[in-house]
C-alpha cells in the first residue's frame, strides 16, 4: 500500500470529527470601511488564506465560515472553489457569530478561528487537538516580550509580565463543552471562547503558539504581513511532461473532462496526460519526487484510477508544507481531438480539483505539424509548468 493510502486509512479510523469555524463577520471599522477579511494579502483575500490554512489539515473534516449581513457575494467570490458548505450569517457581536456557527455544526470537536489570522501552521492545529484528550479546550499562546505599563496621559507604572501570555486563535474545544459553556454565559460579549469555557468551570490548555498567527487589525499590520510573506516564501517552478499512446476505443479523459474520440488512451490509470503532467509539475516545484513515486503503476489499486486523485494528493502535499500555488499552465500536444471546444471545461475542472480560481489555470493546445508520434496520430503528449511560492 502506498504511503498516502496508509496515511488516509489511518485518518479514516479516527473516531473524532473536527469542524473548523472561521469567524469573518467584521465590518471593517478600523480599516476605514473595508472589511479586512476581503482585503488582498499575497494576491488573495485574507479570508481565503485563513480557510486554506485549515481546510487541508488531515484532522479537520469540515470548515464553515460565519459572515456578516450583506457579505454573501463577496464571501462567495473570495472562497470560490473551496468546499465550505453554506455560509453562516453572524451577528453584531463576536459571541453572536460563534453562537450562529455552533447551531449549524455537529461532531465531537471544533476549532474557532479569526479570519484576520490568515497564516495558521499545521503544527499549531496538531498541538491543539492533542490537548483535547485531557482538557475541554486549548488555545495557542505566546509569551509577552515587551515591557508592560499602565497609561493615562503619561506612561505609568510597569506591570509585572511574569505569568502573562498573548492568546491567539484558532482555539480548540470539545464541541459539547463549548455549547454548554455558551448556554451558561451571561456576561458581556467575550473577546474569545476561552473566556466562556473557563467561566463555566472548565479547563483550557495553553499550547505553544506561533508568530505567524499575529492578528491583522490595522493598515500597518497588512504592511508587516506582506513583508513577512515575501521574506518567508521563495518562488519555485516545476515542469511536468507526460505521454500516452492511443489504444482501444474512446472516449478519452483530458484535464478531468471526458471527450468523445474514436480511440482511447493506454495507461494504468485513466491515462489523463493533462492531469499527470500538472501533478508532476507541482511535485517537481516542491521537490517531492514524481507521480510514479506516489502512485506506482505496479500497484493494482491504481488500475483505472481517476487522475483527479493524483492531482488532489499533490495539492494536499504542497499545502501541508505551506506552499502557495500561483499558476498552472499546460500545453496539450495532439493532432486530434480538437481541444478548443473543451478548453474552458478543462480549466474549470482542474481549478475545482486543485481548489484554485479558474484564472490561475491555463490550458493551451498545439500540434507538431505532422511530425513525430503525435503528428502521426499515435498518441497525445502534455507539458505543464507550475509556479508556486514555498518556504525554504
Amino acid at each position: 500500500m502506498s504511503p498516502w493510502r496508509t496515511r488516509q486509512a489511518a485518518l479514516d479510523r479516527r473516531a473524532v470529527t473536527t469542524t473548523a469555524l472561521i469567524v469573518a463577520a467584521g465590518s471593517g471599522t478600523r480599516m476605514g470601511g473595508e472589511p479586512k477579511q476581503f482585503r488582498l494579502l499575497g494576491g488573495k483575500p485574507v479570508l481565503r488564506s485563513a480557510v486554506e490554512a485549515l481546510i487541508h489539515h488531515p484532522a479537520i473534516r469540515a470548515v464553515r465560515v460565519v459572515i456578516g449581513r450583506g457579505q454573501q457575494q463577496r464571501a462567495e467570490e473570495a472562497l470560490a472553489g473551496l468546499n465550505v458548505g453554506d455560509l453562516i450569517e453572524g451577528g453584531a457581536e463576536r459571541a453572536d457569530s460563534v453562537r450562529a456557527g455552533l447551531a449549524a455544526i455537529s461532531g465531537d470537536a471544533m476549532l474557532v478561528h479569526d479570519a484576520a489570522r490568515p497564516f495558521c501552521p499545521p503544527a499549531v492545529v496538531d498541538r491543539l487537538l492533542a490537548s483535547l484528550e485531557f482538557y475541554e479546550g486549548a488555545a495557542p499562546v505566546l509569551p509577552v516580550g515587551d515591557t508592560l505599563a499602565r497609561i493615562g496621559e503619561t506612561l505609568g507604572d510597569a506591570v509585572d509580565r511574569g505569568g502573562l501570555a498573548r492568546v491567539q486563535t484558532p482555539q480548540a474545544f470539545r464541541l459539547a463543552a463549548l455549547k454548554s459553556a455558551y448556554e451558561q454565559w451571561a456576561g458581556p460579549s467575550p473577546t474569545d471562547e476561552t473566556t466562556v469555557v473557563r467561566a463555566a468551570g472548565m479547563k483550557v490548555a495553553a499550547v505553544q503558539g506561533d508568530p505567524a498567527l499575529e492578528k491583522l487589525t490595522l493598515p500597518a499590520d497588512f504592511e508587516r504581513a506582506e513583508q513577512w510573506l515575501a521574506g518567508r516564501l521563495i518562488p519555485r517552478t516545476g515542469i511536468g511532461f507526460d505521454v500516452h499512446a492511443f489504444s482501444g476505443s474512446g472516449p478519452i479523459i483530458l484535464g478531468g473532462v471526458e471527450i468523445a474520440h474514436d480511440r482511447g488512451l493506454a495507461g494504468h490509470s485513466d491515462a489523463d496526460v493533462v492531469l499527470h503532467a500538472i501533478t508532476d509539475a507541482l511535485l517537481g516545484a516542491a521537490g517531492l519526487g514524481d507521480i510514479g513515486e506516489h502512485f506506482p503503476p505496479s500497484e493494482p489499486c491504481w488500475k483505472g484510477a481517476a487522475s483527479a486523485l493524483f492531482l488532489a494528493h499533490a495539492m494536499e502535499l504542497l499545502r501541508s508544507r505551506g506552499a502557495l500555488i500561483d499558476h498552472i499552465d499546460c500545453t496539450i500536444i495532439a493532432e486530434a481531438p480538437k481541444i478548443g471546444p473543451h478548453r474552458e471545461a478543462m480549466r474549470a475542472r482542474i481549478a475545482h480539483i486543485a481548489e484554485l480560481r479558474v484564472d490561475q489555470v491555463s490550458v493551451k493546445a498545439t500540434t507538431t505539424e505532422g511530425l513525430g508520434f503525435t503528428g502521426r496520430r499515435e498518441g497525445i503528449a502534455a507539458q505543464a509548468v507550475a509556479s508556486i511560492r514555498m518556504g525554504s
Side-chain angles (χ1 to χ4, degrees):
M1 180 178 287
S2 70
W4 176 72
R5 288 176 66 86
T6 301
R7 178 172 180 244
Q8 195 64 39
L11 291 174
D12 289 342
R13 289 194 297 269
R14 288 179 61 109
V16 176
T17 55
T18 302
T19 298
L21 183 71
I22 297 183
V23 182
S27 61
T29 303
R30 282 176 285 187
M31 290 297 295
E34 170 70 2
K36 56 194 172 187
Q37 63 269 32
F38 301 125
R39 285 193 57 172
L40 296 184
L41 181 62
K44 67 174 66 176
V46 168
L47 174 57
R48 186 179 186 90
S49 294
V51 170
E52 287 180 342
L54 296 179
I55 202 170
H56 300 292
H57 192 286
I60 296 174
R61 298 298 180 90
V63 173
R64 301 295 303 276
V65 178
V66 183
I67 61 172
R69 179 173 298 178
Q71 296 179 347
Q72 181 85 19
Q73 182 176 346
R74 295 197 69 180
E76 289 177 349
E77 292 171 353
L79 299 172
L82 298 178
N83 182 16
V84 295
D86 294 333
L87 297 172
I88 304 165
E89 185 173 306
E93 302 288 346
R94 176 192 175 86
D96 300 326
S97 296
V98 174
R99 283 191 172 104
L102 285 171
I105 65 175
S106 61
D108 302 306
M110 72 176 300
L111 297 172
V112 182
H113 190 39
D114 298 326
R117 302 179 194 265
F119 309 120
C120 181
V124 173
V125 176
D126 293 338
R127 292 193 286 268
L128 290 168
L129 296 181
S131 295
L132 293 187
E133 183 176 353
F134 307 102
Y135 301 93
E136 287 85 3
V141 301
L142 287 178
V144 178
D146 297 322
T147 297
L148 298 178
R150 302 186 187 282
I151 58 170
E153 293 184 4
T154 60
L155 191 64
D157 295 336
V159 177
D160 183 7
R161 67 189 182 198
L164 298 180
R166 294 186 290 137
V167 183
Q168 303 176 310
T169 76
Q171 296 171 358
F173 303 95
R174 298 179 189 175
L175 184 55
L178 184 57
K179 286 184 175 181
S180 174
Y182 257 112
E183 289 171 359
Q184 301 174 50
W185 179 257
S189 184
T191 57
D192 75 344
E193 280 53 61
T194 64
T195 304
V196 178
V197 171
R198 289 185 293 105
M202 304 176 194
K203 293 184 178 181
V204 177
V207 306
Q208 181 183 344
D210 195 290
L213 285 168
E214 294 290 350
K215 191 174 184 179
L216 303 175
T217 303
L218 302 172
D221 297 329
F222 278 81
E223 296 175 10
R224 168 185 50 78
E226 287 281 9
Q227 294 171 357
W228 177 85
L229 190 60
R232 171 178 171 264
L233 301 179
I234 300 171
R236 295 185 179 205
T237 301
I239 298 174
F241 183 78
D242 194 45
V243 175
H244 282 281
F246 285 123
S247 177
S249 58
I252 60 176
I253 307 294
L254 291 177
V257 175
E258 184 177 293
I259 299 174
H261 193 58
D262 58 348
R263 302 186 69 188
L265 289 172
H268 187 66
S269 62
D270 62 6
D272 189 332
V273 292
V274 173
L275 295 192
H276 291 182
I278 291 173
T279 300
D280 258 350
L282 289 165
L283 292 172
L288 297 174
D290 59 39
I291 194 170
E293 294 180 42
H294 296 270
F295 302 93
S298 58
E299 290 195 10
C301 62
W302 304 123
K303 177 73 173 175
S307 297
L309 293 172
F310 306 162
L311 176 55
H313 174 58
M315 294 297 294
E316 178 188 345
L317 287 177
L318 266 67
R319 284 174 169 142
S320 69
R321 287 161 172 76
L324 299 178
I325 291 77
D326 290 322
H327 195 259
I328 293 170
D329 181 28
C330 184
T331 300
I332 303 169
I333 306 165
E335 298 291 331
K338 295 295 184 184
I339 302 302
H342 309 285
R343 186 195 320 271
E344 294 309 312
M346 289 186 202
R347 292 180 67 207
R349 178 60 178 154
I350 294 166
H352 176 74
I353 298 167
E355 297 184 358
L356 298 171
R357 301 187 311 274
V358 174
D359 64 8
Q360 292 177 279
V361 179
S362 172
V363 175
K364 310 189 301 293
T366 189
T367 70
T368 54
E369 302 294 337
L371 301 176
F373 77 94
T374 58
R376 296 190 298 270
R377 299 175 183 258
E378 295 174 359
I380 297 178
Q383 180 169 297
V385 176
S387 301
I388 73 170
R389 281 173 289 157
M390 188 174 172
S392 58

